[in-house]
Amino acid sequence: MFIGQALDYARVNLIDYIDIDFTLWLTWLLTPLIITFLLPLVILLLFYLTAIILYIYKYRDRLRNAYEQDFWDGARKTVAALWDAHGWVWHGYEIEGLENVPEGKPCLFVYYHSTIPVDIYYFIARYYLLRNKVVHTVADRFLFKVPGWSIISEGIKVIPGTVQSCAAILKAKESLAIAPGGVYEAQFGSHVDYRLMWKERVGFARVAIMTSDEVVVIPMFTENIRESFRNVSFGRKFWLWLYHATRLPFVPIYGGFPVKLVTHLGRPVPVQEGITPRQFSVEVAKAIDDLIETHQKLPGSIMRALYERIHRIPKTKSN
């Protein structure tokens, strides 16, 4: 009885001490902010879940023996199904233009690099499930120093990417995805115009020319990709200085919004005889710009992209 009275006394005093209305208002006010900045952790969680799955498949003999030819195949398909499920549930992810990708030849996919390129993760997963083919990807070198990244890069074929190593992959009849803009485009690109920021990077063009007899070059762009995650817009000069000083991505990001994402694959860009890397780079950039002009409503809008998650009306040049 004494304990019950004490609890009642404590409850009454707690209610008197805490302003319930203010607490509810503060919770309502801060919830969008908390959700906005915590959602990027979902992508980080997926990365480490990927690492855990691949680690288990690699070092557990009883799982390795379950695969007749390549023990990575089961691991990759498990991871691909995980990412594909996330893309389907969260973004209603789709691929359009897959008919432009020939099945009998290796492809060099050249894509626009967003703040966090979740579209390439979804694309690689869906492509592997549909065609049972791994698409190698080129990532910035700093990622290979991140704990857990080595097992991911080994399992899903991510490489730092030199001209020679990229050409070797394509000559081995394997496909490859490259974002020439890289981390620079990821950090300083804008949802306002979705402008490509390749500077003078033509390495991918050299790779395409070196392997032109065997490879098909496919331009690639994902609609609304910059509405999913965004960089903060303040302090641009400081972040630019910091990037040039360190070559590391320090610009803060926010988002994880469940916007509609559709990856568009354009027609192959032919490699003309005698063309220079610079000229070919311009041609591929134009092909991607055409995809952006055709499929992306500008300036980008998070609210519109969220609406399109429910009801999407494709944009055409005539619109």
Side-chain angles (χ1 to χ4, degrees):
M1 183 174 179
F2 174 76
I3 295 175
Q5 290 177 340
L7 290 173
D8 288 340
Y9 177 79
R11 188 182 303 112
V12 170
N13 281 274
L14 184 64
I15 292 173
D16 290 340
Y17 180 75
I18 299 175
D19 187 334
I20 300 298
D21 291 334
F22 174 75
T23 302
L24 291 174
W25 176 81
L26 190 64
T27 302
W28 172 82
L29 179 67
L30 295 179
T31 295
L33 185 64
I34 293 171
I35 291 176
T36 296
F37 283 93
L38 284 182
L39 279 175
L41 294 178
V42 175
I43 298 300
L44 183 63
L45 177 62
L46 279 176
F47 266 119
Y48 280 93
L49 186 56
T50 298
I52 290 170
I53 291 173
L54 292 173
Y55 186 89
I56 292 172
Y57 271 86
K58 181 176 181 180
Y59 291 102
R60 291 294 294 270
D61 289 337
R62 64 185 181 86
L63 293 175
R64 181 183 302 180
N65 294 334
Y67 301 98
E68 295 180 359
Q69 296 181 349
D70 182 7
F71 76 93
W72 281 118
D73 185 52
R76 290 191 190 107
K77 284 183 178 174
T78 302
V79 170
L82 172 69
W83 280 95
D84 192 54
H86 184 272
W88 176 66
V89 171
W90 197 244
H91 296 289
Y93 180 72
E94 299 178 48
I95 298 175
E96 292 187 354
L98 198 59
E99 66 278 2
N100 293 324
V101 183
E103 295 201 36
K105 299 185 72 173
C107 295
L108 175 59
F109 297 97
V110 185
Y111 65 98
Y112 173 84
H113 201 307
S114 60
T115 304
I116 295 182
V118 291
D119 55 329
I120 196 65
Y121 314 147
Y122 298 144
F123 171 75
I124 289 172
R126 181 73 58 84
Y127 193 80
Y128 189 58
L129 293 173
L130 291 176
R131 295 198 174 180
N132 198 35
K133 292 181 179 179
V134 176
V135 177
H136 299 242
T137 52
V138 174
D140 197 279
R141 294 180 184 278
F142 82 89
L143 282 173
F144 294 86
K145 299 178 182 179
V146 175
W149 184 258
S150 60
I151 188 70
I152 295 177
S153 61
E154 182 182 356
I156 59 177
K157 306 298 183 183
V158 184
I159 62 172
T162 63
V163 171
Q164 291 73 24
S165 63
C166 290
I169 288 171
L170 294 169
K171 288 180 179 179
K173 307 299 182 184
E174 299 284 342
S175 292
L176 179 69
I178 298 178
V183 173
Y184 182 82
E185 187 171 78
Q187 292 187 105
F188 304 110
S190 172
H191 67 279
V192 175
D193 55 10
Y194 277 77
R195 180 170 58 89
L196 297 178
M197 304 180 75
W198 291 3
K199 305 177 105 178
E200 298 299 320
R201 297 176 180 177
V202 295
F204 82 93
R206 292 194 181 94
V207 171
I209 293 171
M210 289 172 63
T211 59
S212 59
D213 293 336
E214 301 119 353
V215 173
V216 175
V217 180
I218 304 292
M220 175 175 160
F221 170 74
T222 300
E223 184 179 349
N224 293 328
I225 189 58
R226 280 209 174 267
E227 317 321 314
S228 176
F229 288 92
R230 285 188 179 176
N231 301 312
V232 298
S233 56
F234 63 83
R236 181 180 174 85
K237 289 184 178 179
F238 170 74
W239 301 121
L240 272 170
W241 172 83
L242 192 59
Y243 169 74
H244 288 304
T246 65
R247 297 295 173 178
L248 294 174
F250 283 113
V251 180
I253 63 173
Y254 64 96
F257 304 111
V259 300
K260 180 67 176 180
L261 295 181
V262 183
T263 292
H264 300 277
L265 302 172
R267 296 178 182 275
V269 181
V271 181
Q272 304 292 340
E273 186 175 353
I275 195 170
T276 67
R278 175 62 182 164
Q279 290 170 335
F280 186 69
S281 175
V282 170
E283 289 191 8
V284 176
K286 184 180 183 306
I288 297 177
D289 280 335
D290 286 345
L291 290 176
I292 295 172
E293 181 183 351
T294 302
H295 300 290
Q296 182 63 52
K297 299 179 182 69
L298 297 175
S301 165
I302 293 174
M303 293 304 298
R304 183 175 61 233
L306 287 171
Y307 175 72
E308 290 177 349
R309 177 68 180 83
I310 303 169
H311 180 69
R312 173 173 170 263
I313 301 176
K315 178 182 181 296
T316 62
K317 286 187 177 182
S318 60
N319 289 342

